[in-house]
Amino acid sequence: MARTTDIRHSSNRVFRLSYASRAKKAPAQDEAIQLATAAARNNHRDGVSGVLFSQHGLFLQWLEGPASKVCELMYRIAADDRHHDVRLLSAGWGSERRFPDWSMQLADIPLPSEIPAWASARTAAPYGETSLALRAFENASTQYHQHSNATTSVKKWTRELVLSGLSDSLALPYAARQCPHACAQFMDDVCKELRAGWVDDCWNSVQVAIAMANLNLLWKKNVTVLDPETPRQSVAVVVPPGSTEFLGAVIKADLLRTSGIRARTIRAESDDATVELLAQKNVDAIVVAGSRIGWRDEQRRVEKFASRIRQRFRDIPTFVGGQDSGTLNGWPERIAYLRDDATDVRMDDIDWLTLSQLVNDPRKNSN
């Protein structure tokens, strides 16, 4: 996935919005690239970032940035005669950008296999299955985060982690101890370094497994998060039976709690027992924890188990974690996307210019 224009704007609150539309005439690849490049130039000026899919005669786009600028942009998008049947999929506030480096990236990865049916089925509401759009943005987020690299300081600390063996004397760097999100980002970077060292045969599987055990102990020592008193949503974080790696599950659950979501970690001895426990929970979403290191056999088991969960709980969105699922810090935003669902809202039902004047610009109102 080639990068268009870099953009980094800091703010305490980010407005995010996604929409889908039909192209009046499906653009050729070079036309789509020109469209994304022009959008990137304007978005960089306005502090907006995001990703654009242009496939199968459909446009699917994620926008994020200052609320006033995103709303002004949506006014122009809704009026663009290159597409029609423009519908809002989701809109809401987030704590951070999902694609901070992309002022507008044209996605070169395929849309979920079910989405082409939207292009051929001329129904009144072709975008009602918002979870499909979410999966598309999940795939784009995965591609985005595969470009990130661990810093030199992380490499040095990771080497010390591996060489120390199982130890109680390890300590996280000061910056990583400042808050759960900083700690999660640091551990994400360390997992990438562990994976790279394992793939390059610098460290063996036993060394990596001990290092992961140390990371789990360090997280529990440095991070304590309680369930919110008045949760906005409820999520089950499932550790697949037989899994030897559950650091990601622990961190995901705590990060969800920090964002006001009740998280229940489920770990049972068998698939049947796990399904039975899930059936007893009233949850809005299920997250199946995967491998942050990328053990091949384990990740295959995770995918197979997640498939069974989806078949059993068809009405509950089910996500799969692991090394290719994006950052750990991104999980609260993914779940919040479901809460902000605004499926089947036509763009011409919204006065975007008026809305752009009413909403607060987080860059002007940050504390």
Side-chain angles (χ1 to χ4, degrees), residues 98-139:
R98 196 170 191 183
F99 305 100
D101 287 336
W102 289 348
S103 49
M104 187 47 57
Q105 177 67 38
L106 179 65
D108 57 4
I109 53 179
L111 288 166
S113 58
E114 301 93 334
I115 285 185
W118 287 356
S120 57
R122 299 294 175 175
T123 58
Y127 317 115
E129 195 65 32
T130 308
S131 60
L132 295 180
L134 177 57
R135 279 168 50 194
F137 295 129
E138 284 291 300
N139 293 340

